[in-house]
Amino acid sequence: MELFIILGVCYVIYKLLSNSKSKSTYKSQNTVKMSSPKVTRSVSSNNLSDDKNDDLVTFTISFGHEEEKSTNSTVGRWIPANESIDILGKKCKGNFYYGGVLKAVDTDRSYYGNQETEASLVDDTLKIELADSFFSDDSLGYWPKFISLSPKARGAYLDWLSSTRTHPETPVGYVFIYFYGIERRVTYDAIKYDVSDTEYSSLYQEVIRLKDIYGDSRSFFNYASRLIEFMCLQRPELCKLDSSNLSYANDSLLFKYELANVVSSGKPISAQLALSWIKFYPEYRFKTPARRCDKEFSELFKLRYKEKYGEGFIVKPNKTKLNISYRPASSTLNTINFNQSDLPDPSMLKGPTNKLVAIADLCSIELEPYSRYLGKKDSKSSDIEAVLLLPDELLERSSLSVITNFKNWANSIIDGNSGLVSVNDFWKQIDNRLPDKLNKKQIELIQNITSKSGFGIAPDPRYHHAKPDIEGKLVLFREGHGDYFQPTKSFYEVGMTLRLGAMVAGIDSEVDGNEIAVLRKIIEHDIKLSPVEKNSLKAYLTWRLNSPANMNGLKARLGSLDEQTKSLISHILISVALADGKIEPNEIKQLEKLYTVLGLDKALVTSDIHNISSSRIITNPATPTEKSTSPNNSFVLDEELLALHELETDAAQSMLGAIFVEEEIVQEEDAPSPPPSNLIGLDTKHTNLYQTLIAKDMWSRNEVMEFCQTLGLMIDGAIETINDWSYDIADAPVLDDNDDIYVDLEIVEELKG
């Protein structure tokens, strides 16, 4: 009985092996985007005693075209780069295997797997139809092999092989077949046979070249990057790769090896190695700014790491030993393990990686505004609006000519014209079309470019309570207001005085130098003003003297002052008018208007002029000629001019600040529509897809494709539709299609309204 059972089991195994002749071994290669293999099921009714009654179920897996049976008995050989052969009239330079017999490298997969033909072997005895290298059909399926291609696809591959092999639009399946040959040469032949250093170096450069041309394919980018790293580990004296050039799209052999060596030697983790560590750490998922702004993130991460840890922190060797292996792209090659049991593997240690995660999160937060801008349609990293959103350290290190040119231009304006410039000329420096009017965003752009470049402007609506006009002027001054500027009470008091004084000085349409001197002395004389406030007020005075006067918001506020304050202000106005040594009729007329606004009797103007001018003649006797020509004798600030700054009553001080504030500035930009409280703007299908995706922040592309198929949607169109809707509401995309599909949960919160 036992013997019968044993014989029965053996028979079942025999039947399974016999059926395996029509099967193909599956090798996982997740990053290659191809259609799923077809699975067919066949049932036969055989039993152990009668082949016709066997109840076995067999599954046949088909990957497209079967291998054509070759009659070519020529042993396949490697054609070196300096040799060319003619195939059906196509002159093909080397770096490929040619012949009829070259088996897959021995593996432990199965007997049948070891009988496969080398994927890259070019056999010209097979059926071949010449075709353009851009031709493609379904024979370029999972892990394409030359022997499994259709006759026309073989012809297309030969067409590419006879070309310069540089056209980026070539179907990547052909590039992979070529790559498989190089991969076998450097992973198998170079170990088992003799491959010269010269040829090895040449193949290393060839893989780099292929990666540069065809790296837009994520799968090819990953496999080419890993082969480059393998070659660096295999022959480090020939192949060099700086850690800053490591691939971050997949695992890295070199990173783990370098990290293990640094930790083993007791050296600190450098900023570059720390960056590689966080990028290869599988348990950390990068936020949108880090993915979208990879270059800026890398630079900022290294800066922040050095700020916190200097030359780097030291990690103690752990007990886990390093185990790295090379998984080939070709299905006819086997995995190669590197024996590094003498080195630790600290790559998954929680303590060090938690430190790096904290820095990475901080950098993502700092880059969020810049990232949001780049997420907009038609935006570029070179846009001045984008550049100004960079953290200051990156902006300072940036060699962007727009900032450098602006600094040079601003300094020349300050040196040559006291900082005075038209808004039109200012706008030309940031290479933008002159708008019809300045809205809030455009004024913020003016503020940002000046402050980021180390300058300030007047008027600055944040401090001067006035805004520039598109047809008006601006005044630039060095150093600016700084990040933490808070105007004091004296700043507003003097600002009010300058505004009124500039109105009087400009009555006769010609501002006298002595009038300017009087107003500047008001700034210099106030010991309560900080140097930054004085620089700002000087620029503000220059702007007021070169801009049309207006009385916006003054009437109501001036009319509310007490009599003492009104009297002091009236004396300041007359003092400024007298600064040039004469009073014209039109000045008297304007002073009368201002007196009326102050709530004073305009008849007082004449008597005040007489009293103040008489007081000066007695206090500072000088001839009329001296008055009009000598700035030293023209006017000395008297006590009543400065008394305004010494009023300490709460009512007076609050009014002084209020006088300086113009009527509230109405922003002229078109306000965006408020975000909807529900998904208005999306149809039912896209709403359902969106609601499904926001459950987490990352989905594989295949998962999203399945969701779309159930809803009758195409994945690319669905993502574009949802992002267009997101742009309309939040001015940024909510989905990031980067092989995997990332969901920006911060934008999701904005979209909730």
Side-chain angles (χ1 to χ4, degrees), residues 281-287 291 361 696-698 742:
Y281 185 49
E283 295 187 8
Y284 181 69
R285 185 171 296 161
F286 281 101
K287 295 177 173 59
R291 298 194 310 273
D361 285 345
K696 61 179 183 178
D697 63 353
M698 192 274 284
Y742 292 86

Side-chain angles (χ1 to χ4, degrees), residues 596-612:
T596 301
V597 172
L598 280 167
L600 299 175
D601 186 352
K602 65 179 181 181
L604 294 174
V605 171
T606 305
S607 59
D608 284 347
I609 291 174
H610 176 76
N611 292 335
I612 293 174

Side-chain angles (χ1 to χ4, degrees), residues 305-528:
Y305 180 82
K306 290 177 181 178
E307 286 176 1
K308 190 169 182 63
Y309 297 109
E311 295 300 315
F313 55 73
I314 295 176
V315 178
K316 292 182 179 180
N318 57 325
K319 294 182 180 179
T320 303
K321 296 304 180 182
L322 182 64
N323 180 21
I324 54 178
S325 58
Y326 176 76
R327 298 183 300 279
S330 172
S331 63
T332 54
L333 296 174
N334 59 350
T335 298
I336 300 174
N337 295 312
F338 290 84
N339 183 13
Q340 300 292 338
S341 59
D342 57 330
L343 291 174
D345 182 4
S347 60
M348 296 300 293
L349 290 177
K350 292 292 185 183
T353 52
N354 285 342
K355 296 177 181 178
L356 303 180
V357 166
I359 296 175
D361 285 345
L362 174 64
C363 293
S364 291
I365 293 172
E366 291 188 73
L367 287 171
E368 174 64 25
Y370 178 71
S371 171
R372 289 282 297 275
Y373 180 87
L374 294 185
K376 298 178 182 179
K377 289 182 178 178
D378 302 322
S379 62
K380 303 186 296 294
S381 59
S382 59
D383 293 345
I384 185 62
E385 294 92 338
V387 173
L388 296 176
L389 293 173
L390 286 169
D392 288 344
E393 294 89 342
L394 297 187
L395 186 62
E396 290 171 2
R397 294 159 66 95
S398 172
S399 58
L400 290 172
S401 60
V402 64
I403 297 296
T404 303
N405 291 343
F406 182 84
K407 287 181 177 180
N408 294 336
W409 171 80
N411 280 317
S412 68
I413 292 297
I414 292 172
D415 292 336
N417 199 36
S418 302
L420 184 66
V421 64
S422 70
V423 173
N424 195 337
D425 287 343
F426 181 98
W427 215 258
K428 292 178 182 177
Q429 298 306 311
I430 54 179
D431 196 26
N432 269 307
R433 181 181 62 85
L434 188 67
D436 296 329
K437 55 186 177 182
L438 295 180
N439 59 27
K440 181 181 177 183
K441 287 185 178 180
Q442 290 157 345
I443 291 175
E444 287 178 349
L445 177 59
I446 292 173
Q447 292 167 336
N448 288 337
I449 192 170
T450 50
S451 62
K452 291 283 188 180
S453 303
F455 300 94
I457 57 163
D460 191 321
R462 297 169 298 182
Y463 314 122
H464 302 133
H465 298 289
K467 69 184 184 75
D469 182 79
I470 193 64
E471 297 179 354
K473 305 284 188 180
L474 284 172
V475 179
L476 295 160
F477 62 98
R478 293 188 177 97
E479 298 183 9
H481 293 98
D483 294 333
Y484 307 104
F485 178 67
Q486 290 292 336
T488 63
K489 188 166 51 180
S490 294
F491 180 87
Y492 288 120
E493 293 171 8
V494 175
M496 177 275 298
T497 307
L498 297 177
R499 180 182 177 188
L500 296 174
M503 292 174 67
V504 174
I507 289 173
D508 56 1
S509 300
E510 182 180 348
V511 180
D512 185 84
N514 292 330
E515 293 173 324
I516 297 175
V518 169
L519 294 170
R520 289 181 68 89
K521 283 183 180 181
I522 295 175
I523 301 171
E524 297 292 354
H525 218 89
D526 197 318
I527 60 174
K528 296 179 181 179

